[in-house]
Amino acid sequence: MLLMSVTGLSRSFDRGPLFDELSFELYHGERVGLVGPNGAGKTTLMRILSGQDTPDAGDVRFHAGARGMILDQVAEFPAGRTLFDEAKSAFADLLHAQEELVVVAEEMAVVTDPVEHKAIAARYDRLTELLRHNDAFTLDHKVETVLGGLNFKPEDYNRDVNSFSGGQQRRLLLAKLLLSAPDVMLLDEPSNHLDIDTVRWLENYLVQQPQAMLIVSHDRYFLNRVVTKVFELHDHKITSYPGNYKQYVRLREERYIQLRKEYEVQQEFIEKQEDYYRKNHYGQMAKQAQSRLKSLEKLERLEAPTKVETPKMHFGEVMRAGDVIFEVSDLGKSFGSKRLFKNLSFQLPRGKRLGIMGPNGCGKTTLLRILLGDEPPSEGHVKRGHLITLGYLDQHLKLLDENKPVLEAVWPEPDPEVTDQRMRDLLGRFGLTGKILNQPVRECSGGEKSRAALARLVVEGANVLILDEPTNHLDIWACDALEEAIKEFEGTVIVVTHDRYFLNSVCDLLVVMEPGRVEMVYGNYDLYESLRATREAEEAAERKAKERASPQPVVTAALEPSRQKTVKPKRKFPYRKVEDLERDIAEQEQLVGVLEAKMVSPEIYRDANLVKDTMNAFEAGKIKLKQLYEHWEEAVELN
């Protein structure tokens, strides 16, 4: 079903057009990734689609009563509201319908006119069907599921929503959007401020939803897992590719090669025709030459295909360090009574690339500071290798002086042997050219600052790069370039990041930090995912086996077969007759049926406490019925 259509959309600013004559459609169930270089206009397009901005030309139309909603970037919450109540406000329409149902039920109970009673009853039926269709009797459970998935704890539910950090508030905005479940979800960087476990939950949640989605994201692993189509916004237009991110990369390159070939063939044809005309536009062949010229004038000229320019990042040659860069033994760190990690041991050989991953607050940055020597460990020790020069890129980019022009901030100490052109060439390798070199760092975008800070590490001559969230602020193409630069780097790299695609592409070994434990993985992220999935499957199988475990028959070899005895499996439930259990099951089924009928009765909505008690009794009844079924199965097998 077609939910949204965009026709002839254009938007320009002072610096020129962002996009021109964009047209595309979005259908029910489609999950589309919107990618493009920084500054291409992705966020502006999303704001136009949501009605927060107005296009210069074109039209956005929602079909069949479809409703669209965007993930807000800035949180504004009313004072005094709790986290849980703010999340539940996503169901404002359903909550209003519940209140209206109570009023209608009360009206229906007192009206005497048959005609009026029939009209009120029809209205009551419509509201009941609306609530039933939207599963409105379990709203609290839905809220708890989404808040828990986004890493909010039950003890947070009653906190004032304005007491949370900016990142937590943005997670709440995401929770409200997911709970609202609009027909078209406009998700602008939904995985920002989420750790890997939470992003994994979000991926699994989104792929199970029926809504249409348009998703802006720089998280390539996320795009691989979630999207079914990719829109590339580049050169003022959108190009559509089927499949996930991996397929998009392949098809994009194939498309560029094909278009380039077609363009070159046409250019060769045009050149031959023009050459023929120049040589034969007079004399006996003049008529034929003129005919060829007219054909060229009617020819639909192909434009030279373009693709997003990728900066040619390179860290250059560095001094060779010793064979072992770091030797870490029984390392641990605590702050007061809070234990971050303990018993961490590993050896990092020269030339290897170590990734550090884990949820927020588990001690990743603290571990980097210990390796740098800026923070003492609580126990254990770190031994550095020989001839090491450390270069540290912190996630806040404090490496650069905000008040200096980019050129001076990257090369702060004048060197008579370093020419101005050499400095410009270095910055050019990181995609920084032209006027930006004389622009103060504070006026640069996040991506420009990140690339300038990476160039600063080259100036420092670091042969050990320690990078804290280096892909923050970088677009997909800059991330690709950084990955290639790191893989070509002759030195050693330690990186903290939530970017799973980056970890998978770059790292030889991983330190995986989790609350209460830390482990080493000698491989990339895909290997870790494989090991994690295997471990979870084994743990699940072990739990299942324990639940169904039954002792093996005890056989004594000295006894004759007639005297051998088999030990029956242990009972999970106490002994009861099968017919007694069947009677209890019938009674419980009847009780559950009564409670279910009661939940749609008008009278129940006159008392909020009665509604809550009835719903709790209904859930408890279903649980008890399930246990009775299990007890009955055991009795049939073992009695």
Side-chain angles (χ1 to χ4, degrees), residues 405-460:
V406 171
L407 195 62
E408 293 182 23
V410 172
W411 223 301
E413 298 178 7
D415 186 339
E417 296 183 5
V418 179
T419 64
D420 182 75
Q421 188 58 48
R422 183 180 169 188
M423 290 189 284
R424 292 178 181 275
D425 289 344
L426 169 62
L427 289 164
R429 291 205 319 246
F430 288 86
L432 301 170
T433 58
K435 296 180 180 178
I436 192 173
L437 300 185
N438 297 313
Q439 182 175 308
V441 171
R442 64 176 180 275
E443 296 178 9
C444 295
S445 68
E448 291 164 345
K449 288 180 184 178
S450 291
R451 284 181 274 136
L454 289 167
R456 179 79 180 93
L457 297 180
V458 178
V459 175
E460 292 181 349

Short mmCIF file of all heavy atoms in Angstrom, two decimals, residues 405-460:
data_model
loop_
_atom_site.label_atom_id
_atom_site.label_comp_id
_atom_site.label_asym_id
_atom_site.label_seq_id
_atom_site.Cartn_x
_atom_site.Cartn_y
_atom_site.Cartn_z
N PRO A 405 43.06 29.15 13.44
CA PRO A 405 42.64 28.64 12.14
C PRO A 405 43.06 27.18 11.99
O PRO A 405 44.00 26.72 12.65
CB PRO A 405 43.40 29.53 11.14
CG PRO A 405 43.78 30.74 11.93
CD PRO A 405 43.98 30.30 13.32
N VAL A 406 42.37 26.46 11.15
CA VAL A 406 42.62 25.02 11.00
C VAL A 406 44.09 24.76 10.69
O VAL A 406 44.71 23.86 11.28
CB VAL A 406 41.72 24.44 9.88
CG1 VAL A 406 42.12 23.01 9.56
CG2 VAL A 406 40.26 24.51 10.30
N LEU A 407 44.68 25.53 9.79
CA LEU A 407 46.06 25.30 9.38
C LEU A 407 47.01 25.42 10.57
O LEU A 407 47.90 24.57 10.77
CB LEU A 407 46.45 26.31 8.29
CG LEU A 407 47.72 26.01 7.49
CD1 LEU A 407 47.59 24.71 6.73
CD2 LEU A 407 48.01 27.15 6.51
N GLU A 408 46.81 26.42 11.41
CA GLU A 408 47.69 26.61 12.58
C GLU A 408 47.39 25.60 13.68
O GLU A 408 48.30 25.18 14.41
CB GLU A 408 47.54 28.03 13.12
CG GLU A 408 48.06 29.11 12.18
CD GLU A 408 47.92 30.50 12.80
OE1 GLU A 408 47.86 30.58 14.04
OE2 GLU A 408 47.84 31.47 12.03
N ALA A 409 46.14 25.21 13.82
CA ALA A 409 45.77 24.26 14.87
C ALA A 409 46.35 22.89 14.58
O ALA A 409 46.76 22.17 15.50
CB ALA A 409 44.25 24.17 14.99
N VAL A 410 46.42 22.52 13.31
CA VAL A 410 46.98 21.22 12.93
C VAL A 410 48.50 21.25 12.99
O VAL A 410 49.14 20.26 13.35
CB VAL A 410 46.48 20.82 11.52
CG1 VAL A 410 47.20 19.57 11.03
CG2 VAL A 410 44.97 20.58 11.55
N TRP A 411 49.10 22.42 12.65
CA TRP A 411 50.56 22.55 12.63
C TRP A 411 50.95 23.71 13.54
O TRP A 411 51.36 24.77 13.07
CB TRP A 411 51.04 22.81 11.22
CG TRP A 411 52.26 22.02 10.86
CD1 TRP A 411 53.47 22.05 11.47
CD2 TRP A 411 52.37 21.07 9.82
NE1 TRP A 411 54.33 21.18 10.88
CE2 TRP A 411 53.69 20.56 9.85
CE3 TRP A 411 51.50 20.59 8.84
CZ2 TRP A 411 54.16 19.59 8.95
CZ3 TRP A 411 51.96 19.65 7.95
CH2 TRP A 411 53.28 19.16 8.01
N PRO A 412 50.80 23.56 14.87
CA PRO A 412 50.95 24.71 15.77
C PRO A 412 52.38 25.19 15.94
O PRO A 412 52.60 26.34 16.32
CB PRO A 412 50.41 24.16 17.10
CG PRO A 412 50.62 22.69 17.02
CD PRO A 412 50.46 22.32 15.58
N GLU A 413 53.38 24.35 15.71
CA GLU A 413 54.78 24.75 15.91
C GLU A 413 55.46 24.94 14.56
O GLU A 413 55.66 23.98 13.82
CB GLU A 413 55.53 23.70 16.72
CG GLU A 413 54.95 23.49 18.12
CD GLU A 413 55.67 22.40 18.88
OE1 GLU A 413 56.69 21.91 18.35
OE2 GLU A 413 55.21 22.04 19.98
N PRO A 414 55.79 26.19 14.21
CA PRO A 414 56.41 26.44 12.90
C PRO A 414 57.70 25.63 12.74
O PRO A 414 58.51 25.53 13.66
CB PRO A 414 56.70 27.94 12.93
CG PRO A 414 55.77 28.49 13.96
CD PRO A 414 55.61 27.42 14.99
N ASP A 415 57.86 25.07 11.57
CA ASP A 415 59.06 24.28 11.25
C ASP A 415 59.61 24.80 9.93
O ASP A 415 58.93 24.73 8.89
CB ASP A 415 58.68 22.80 11.15
CG ASP A 415 59.90 21.91 10.98
OD1 ASP A 415 60.96 22.42 10.55
OD2 ASP A 415 59.80 20.70 11.26
N PRO A 416 60.85 25.34 9.92
CA PRO A 416 61.41 25.92 8.69
C PRO A 416 61.52 24.89 7.56
O PRO A 416 61.57 25.27 6.38
CB PRO A 416 62.79 26.42 9.13
CG PRO A 416 63.09 25.70 10.41
CD PRO A 416 61.78 25.45 11.05
N GLU A 417 61.57 23.60 7.91
CA GLU A 417 61.69 22.57 6.88
C GLU A 417 60.34 22.18 6.27
O GLU A 417 60.29 21.45 5.29
CB GLU A 417 62.36 21.32 7.47
CG GLU A 417 63.79 21.56 7.93
CD GLU A 417 64.45 20.29 8.44
OE1 GLU A 417 63.80 19.22 8.34
OE2 GLU A 417 65.58 20.37 8.92
N VAL A 418 59.27 22.66 6.88
CA VAL A 418 57.93 22.31 6.41
C VAL A 418 57.34 23.51 5.66
O VAL A 418 57.14 24.57 6.24
CB VAL A 418 57.01 21.92 7.58
CG1 VAL A 418 55.61 21.60 7.06
CG2 VAL A 418 57.59 20.73 8.33
N THR A 419 57.10 23.34 4.40
CA THR A 419 56.57 24.43 3.58
C THR A 419 55.06 24.53 3.75
O THR A 419 54.38 23.59 4.18
CB THR A 419 56.89 24.18 2.09
OG1 THR A 419 56.22 22.99 1.67
CG2 THR A 419 58.38 24.02 1.88
N ASP A 420 54.55 25.68 3.36
CA ASP A 420 53.11 25.90 3.41
C ASP A 420 52.38 24.89 2.52
O ASP A 420 51.32 24.38 2.88
CB ASP A 420 52.78 27.32 2.97
CG ASP A 420 51.30 27.62 3.04
OD1 ASP A 420 50.78 27.82 4.14
OD2 ASP A 420 50.65 27.64 1.96
N GLN A 421 52.98 24.58 1.36
CA GLN A 421 52.35 23.64 0.44
C GLN A 421 52.29 22.23 1.03
O GLN A 421 51.30 21.51 0.86
CB GLN A 421 53.12 23.60 -0.89
CG GLN A 421 52.44 22.78 -1.97
CD GLN A 421 51.04 23.29 -2.27
OE1 GLN A 421 50.81 24.49 -2.45
NE2 GLN A 421 50.07 22.38 -2.31
N ARG A 422 53.33 21.86 1.78
CA ARG A 422 53.32 20.53 2.40
C ARG A 422 52.20 20.43 3.45
O ARG A 422 51.54 19.39 3.55
CB ARG A 422 54.67 20.27 3.06
CG ARG A 422 54.79 18.88 3.68
CD ARG A 422 56.14 18.66 4.31
NE ARG A 422 56.16 17.46 5.11
CZ ARG A 422 57.16 17.10 5.91
NH1 ARG A 422 58.23 17.88 6.02
NH2 ARG A 422 57.09 15.99 6.62
N MET A 423 51.97 21.49 4.20
CA MET A 423 50.88 21.50 5.17
C MET A 423 49.53 21.39 4.46
O MET A 423 48.63 20.65 4.89
CB MET A 423 50.94 22.77 6.02
CG MET A 423 52.11 22.81 6.99
SD MET A 423 52.00 24.20 8.16
CE MET A 423 52.49 25.57 7.11
N ARG A 424 49.40 22.12 3.36
CA ARG A 424 48.14 22.08 2.62
C ARG A 424 47.91 20.71 1.99
O ARG A 424 46.78 20.21 1.93
CB ARG A 424 48.10 23.18 1.56
CG ARG A 424 48.04 24.57 2.14
CD ARG A 424 48.07 25.67 1.10
NE ARG A 424 48.04 26.98 1.71
CZ ARG A 424 46.94 27.61 2.08
NH1 ARG A 424 45.76 27.05 1.85
NH2 ARG A 424 46.99 28.81 2.65
N ASP A 425 48.99 20.08 1.53
CA ASP A 425 48.87 18.74 0.95
C ASP A 425 48.40 17.74 2.01
O ASP A 425 47.57 16.86 1.72
CB ASP A 425 50.21 18.28 0.36
CG ASP A 425 50.58 19.05 -0.89
OD1 ASP A 425 49.68 19.70 -1.47
OD2 ASP A 425 51.76 19.00 -1.29
N LEU A 426 48.96 17.87 3.22
CA LEU A 426 48.56 16.97 4.30
C LEU A 426 47.07 17.13 4.60
O LEU A 426 46.33 16.14 4.68
CB LEU A 426 49.38 17.25 5.56
CG LEU A 426 48.87 16.55 6.84
CD1 LEU A 426 48.93 15.05 6.71
CD2 LEU A 426 49.66 17.02 8.06
N LEU A 427 46.63 18.36 4.78
CA LEU A 427 45.22 18.59 5.08
C LEU A 427 44.33 18.16 3.92
O LEU A 427 43.21 17.68 4.13
CB LEU A 427 45.00 20.06 5.42
CG LEU A 427 45.59 20.48 6.77
CD1 LEU A 427 45.69 21.99 6.87
CD2 LEU A 427 44.75 19.94 7.90
N GLY A 428 44.82 18.31 2.70
CA GLY A 428 44.06 17.86 1.54
C GLY A 428 43.81 16.35 1.56
O GLY A 428 42.77 15.87 1.09
N ARG A 429 44.80 15.60 2.11
CA ARG A 429 44.63 14.15 2.23
C ARG A 429 43.46 13.80 3.14
O ARG A 429 42.89 12.72 3.02
CB ARG A 429 45.89 13.50 2.79
CG ARG A 429 47.08 13.54 1.86
CD ARG A 429 48.08 12.44 2.14
NE ARG A 429 48.37 12.14 3.52
CZ ARG A 429 49.56 12.35 4.12
NH1 ARG A 429 50.53 12.95 3.44
NH2 ARG A 429 49.76 11.97 5.35
N PHE A 430 43.10 14.70 4.02
CA PHE A 430 41.99 14.46 4.93
C PHE A 430 40.74 15.25 4.53
O PHE A 430 39.85 15.48 5.34
CB PHE A 430 42.40 14.80 6.37
CG PHE A 430 43.37 13.80 6.95
CD1 PHE A 430 44.73 13.93 6.72
CD2 PHE A 430 42.91 12.71 7.67
CE1 PHE A 430 45.63 13.00 7.23
CE2 PHE A 430 43.80 11.77 8.18
CZ PHE A 430 45.16 11.91 7.96
N GLY A 431 40.71 15.67 3.27
CA GLY A 431 39.52 16.32 2.73
C GLY A 431 39.32 17.75 3.17
O GLY A 431 38.20 18.26 3.13
N LEU A 432 40.39 18.43 3.60
CA LEU A 432 40.30 19.82 4.05
C LEU A 432 41.06 20.71 3.09
O LEU A 432 42.30 20.66 3.02
CB LEU A 432 40.87 19.95 5.47
CG LEU A 432 40.19 19.08 6.53
CD1 LEU A 432 40.99 19.10 7.83
CD2 LEU A 432 38.76 19.55 6.78
N THR A 433 40.34 21.52 2.32
CA THR A 433 40.97 22.37 1.31
C THR A 433 40.28 23.73 1.27
O THR A 433 39.22 23.93 1.89
CB THR A 433 40.86 21.72 -0.09
OG1 THR A 433 39.46 21.50 -0.39
CG2 THR A 433 41.59 20.39 -0.14
N GLY A 434 40.90 24.66 0.55
CA GLY A 434 40.28 25.96 0.28
C GLY A 434 40.16 26.85 1.50
O GLY A 434 41.01 26.88 2.38
N LYS A 435 39.03 27.56 1.58
CA LYS A 435 38.82 28.57 2.62
C LYS A 435 38.81 27.99 4.02
O LYS A 435 39.12 28.69 4.99
CB LYS A 435 37.50 29.30 2.37
CG LYS A 435 37.47 30.11 1.07
CD LYS A 435 36.13 30.80 0.91
CE LYS A 435 36.09 31.61 -0.39
NZ LYS A 435 34.76 32.26 -0.59
N ILE A 436 38.45 26.73 4.13
CA ILE A 436 38.33 26.13 5.48
C ILE A 436 39.66 26.14 6.23
O ILE A 436 39.69 26.16 7.45
CB ILE A 436 37.77 24.69 5.38
CG1 ILE A 436 37.37 24.20 6.76
CG2 ILE A 436 38.78 23.75 4.76
CD1 ILE A 436 36.68 22.86 6.74
N LEU A 437 40.79 26.15 5.50
CA LEU A 437 42.10 26.10 6.15
C LEU A 437 42.36 27.35 6.99
O LEU A 437 43.11 27.30 7.97
CB LEU A 437 43.20 25.93 5.10
CG LEU A 437 43.13 24.67 4.23
CD1 LEU A 437 44.34 24.58 3.33
CD2 LEU A 437 43.02 23.43 5.09
N ASN A 438 41.76 28.47 6.61
CA ASN A 438 41.95 29.71 7.36
C ASN A 438 40.77 30.03 8.29
O ASN A 438 40.70 31.10 8.87
CB ASN A 438 42.16 30.87 6.39
CG ASN A 438 43.43 30.68 5.57
OD1 ASN A 438 44.49 30.35 6.12
ND2 ASN A 438 43.33 30.87 4.26
N GLN A 439 39.87 29.07 8.42
CA GLN A 439 38.68 29.24 9.26
C GLN A 439 38.97 28.77 10.68
O GLN A 439 39.62 27.74 10.87
CB GLN A 439 37.54 28.40 8.65
CG GLN A 439 36.21 28.49 9.35
CD GLN A 439 35.16 27.71 8.58
OE1 GLN A 439 34.97 27.91 7.38
NE2 GLN A 439 34.48 26.82 9.27
N PRO A 440 38.55 29.50 11.72
CA PRO A 440 38.78 29.05 13.09
C PRO A 440 38.16 27.68 13.32
O PRO A 440 37.08 27.37 12.80
CB PRO A 440 38.10 30.12 13.94
CG PRO A 440 38.04 31.32 13.07
CD PRO A 440 37.88 30.82 11.67
N VAL A 441 38.83 26.87 14.12
CA VAL A 441 38.36 25.51 14.38
C VAL A 441 36.94 25.51 14.95
O VAL A 441 36.12 24.65 14.61
CB VAL A 441 39.32 24.78 15.34
CG1 VAL A 441 38.75 23.45 15.81
CG2 VAL A 441 40.68 24.57 14.68
N ARG A 442 36.63 26.48 15.80
CA ARG A 442 35.32 26.51 16.46
C ARG A 442 34.19 26.68 15.46
O ARG A 442 33.02 26.35 15.76
CB ARG A 442 35.27 27.63 17.49
CG ARG A 442 35.39 29.02 16.94
CD ARG A 442 35.24 30.12 17.98
NE ARG A 442 35.37 31.45 17.42
CZ ARG A 442 36.51 32.07 17.23
NH1 ARG A 442 37.65 31.47 17.59
NH2 ARG A 442 36.55 33.28 16.70
N GLU A 443 34.47 27.21 14.25
CA GLU A 443 33.44 27.42 13.25
C GLU A 443 33.29 26.23 12.31
O GLU A 443 32.42 26.24 11.43
CB GLU A 443 33.74 28.68 12.44
CG GLU A 443 33.72 29.96 13.27
CD GLU A 443 34.07 31.20 12.45
OE1 GLU A 443 34.15 31.07 11.20
OE2 GLU A 443 34.25 32.28 13.04
N CYS A 444 34.12 25.21 12.50
CA CYS A 444 34.07 24.04 11.61
C CYS A 444 32.96 23.08 12.05
O CYS A 444 32.54 23.08 13.22
CB CYS A 444 35.40 23.29 11.63
SG CYS A 444 36.78 24.23 10.93
N SER A 445 32.51 22.27 11.12
CA SER A 445 31.53 21.23 11.46
C SER A 445 32.23 20.11 12.23
O SER A 445 33.47 20.04 12.28
CB SER A 445 30.91 20.66 10.19
OG SER A 445 31.89 19.93 9.45
N GLY A 446 31.44 19.23 12.83
CA GLY A 446 32.01 18.11 13.57
C GLY A 446 32.89 17.23 12.71
O GLY A 446 33.97 16.80 13.13
N GLY A 447 32.45 16.97 11.47
CA GLY A 447 33.25 16.14 10.58
C GLY A 447 34.56 16.79 10.19
O GLY A 447 35.60 16.13 10.11
N GLU A 448 34.53 18.11 9.97
CA GLU A 448 35.76 18.83 9.62
C GLU A 448 36.75 18.84 10.78
O GLU A 448 37.95 18.66 10.60
CB GLU A 448 35.41 20.25 9.19
CG GLU A 448 34.67 20.31 7.85
CD GLU A 448 33.97 21.63 7.61
OE1 GLU A 448 33.81 22.43 8.57
OE2 GLU A 448 33.58 21.89 6.46
N LYS A 449 36.22 19.02 12.01
CA LYS A 449 37.09 18.98 13.19
C LYS A 449 37.73 17.60 13.35
O LYS A 449 38.92 17.49 13.67
CB LYS A 449 36.29 19.31 14.45
CG LYS A 449 35.88 20.77 14.58
CD LYS A 449 35.09 20.97 15.87
CE LYS A 449 34.58 22.40 15.99
NZ LYS A 449 33.77 22.58 17.22
N SER A 450 36.94 16.54 13.14
CA SER A 450 37.47 15.17 13.28
C SER A 450 38.60 14.93 12.31
O SER A 450 39.66 14.38 12.66
CB SER A 450 36.35 14.15 13.05
OG SER A 450 35.41 14.18 14.09
N ARG A 451 38.43 15.35 11.06
CA ARG A 451 39.47 15.11 10.05
C ARG A 451 40.71 15.96 10.34
O ARG A 451 41.83 15.51 10.11
CB ARG A 451 38.90 15.39 8.66
CG ARG A 451 37.98 14.26 8.19
CD ARG A 451 37.41 14.49 6.82
NE ARG A 451 36.21 15.29 6.88
CZ ARG A 451 35.93 16.29 6.06
NH1 ARG A 451 36.78 16.65 5.13
NH2 ARG A 451 34.80 16.96 6.19
N ALA A 452 40.51 17.18 10.86
CA ALA A 452 41.65 18.01 11.23
C ALA A 452 42.43 17.38 12.38
O ALA A 452 43.67 17.40 12.40
CB ALA A 452 41.18 19.41 11.60
N ALA A 453 41.71 16.81 13.35
CA ALA A 453 42.37 16.17 14.49
C ALA A 453 43.16 14.94 14.04
O ALA A 453 44.26 14.67 14.55
CB ALA A 453 41.33 15.79 15.54
N LEU A 454 42.63 14.20 13.09
CA LEU A 454 43.36 13.04 12.56
C LEU A 454 44.64 13.50 11.85
O LEU A 454 45.69 12.86 11.97
CB LEU A 454 42.46 12.26 11.59
CG LEU A 454 41.31 11.49 12.24
CD1 LEU A 454 40.32 11.01 11.18
CD2 LEU A 454 41.83 10.30 13.05
N ALA A 455 44.55 14.61 11.13
CA ALA A 455 45.75 15.15 10.47
C ALA A 455 46.78 15.60 11.51
O ALA A 455 48.00 15.46 11.30
CB ALA A 455 45.35 16.32 9.57
N ARG A 456 46.30 16.10 12.65
CA ARG A 456 47.21 16.52 13.72
C ARG A 456 48.04 15.35 14.25
O ARG A 456 49.21 15.50 14.61
CB ARG A 456 46.38 17.14 14.86
CG ARG A 456 47.20 17.59 16.06
CD ARG A 456 47.86 18.93 15.80
NE ARG A 456 48.65 19.35 16.96
CZ ARG A 456 49.96 19.11 17.11
NH1 ARG A 456 50.62 18.45 16.17
NH2 ARG A 456 50.60 19.52 18.18
N LEU A 457 47.45 14.15 14.28
CA LEU A 457 48.18 12.96 14.73
C LEU A 457 49.34 12.64 13.78
O LEU A 457 50.38 12.15 14.21
CB LEU A 457 47.24 11.75 14.81
CG LEU A 457 46.09 11.85 15.83
CD1 LEU A 457 45.25 10.57 15.79
CD2 LEU A 457 46.64 12.08 17.24
N VAL A 458 49.16 12.92 12.50
CA VAL A 458 50.24 12.71 11.53
C VAL A 458 51.40 13.66 11.83
O VAL A 458 52.57 13.27 11.80
CB VAL A 458 49.73 12.91 10.09
CG1 VAL A 458 50.87 12.75 9.09
CG2 VAL A 458 48.61 11.93 9.77
N VAL A 459 51.06 14.92 12.13
CA VAL A 459 52.09 15.92 12.45
C VAL A 459 52.89 15.48 13.68
O VAL A 459 54.11 15.69 13.75
CB VAL A 459 51.43 17.29 12.69
CG1 VAL A 459 52.46 18.31 13.14
CG2 VAL A 459 50.74 17.77 11.41
N GLU A 460 52.21 14.87 14.64
CA GLU A 460 52.89 14.43 15.86
C GLU A 460 53.81 13.23 15.62
O GLU A 460 54.60 12.87 16.48
CB GLU A 460 51.86 14.08 16.94
CG GLU A 460 51.09 15.30 17.46
CD GLU A 460 50.09 14.92 18.54
OE1 GLU A 460 49.84 13.71 18.73
OE2 GLU A 460 49.54 15.83 19.18
#
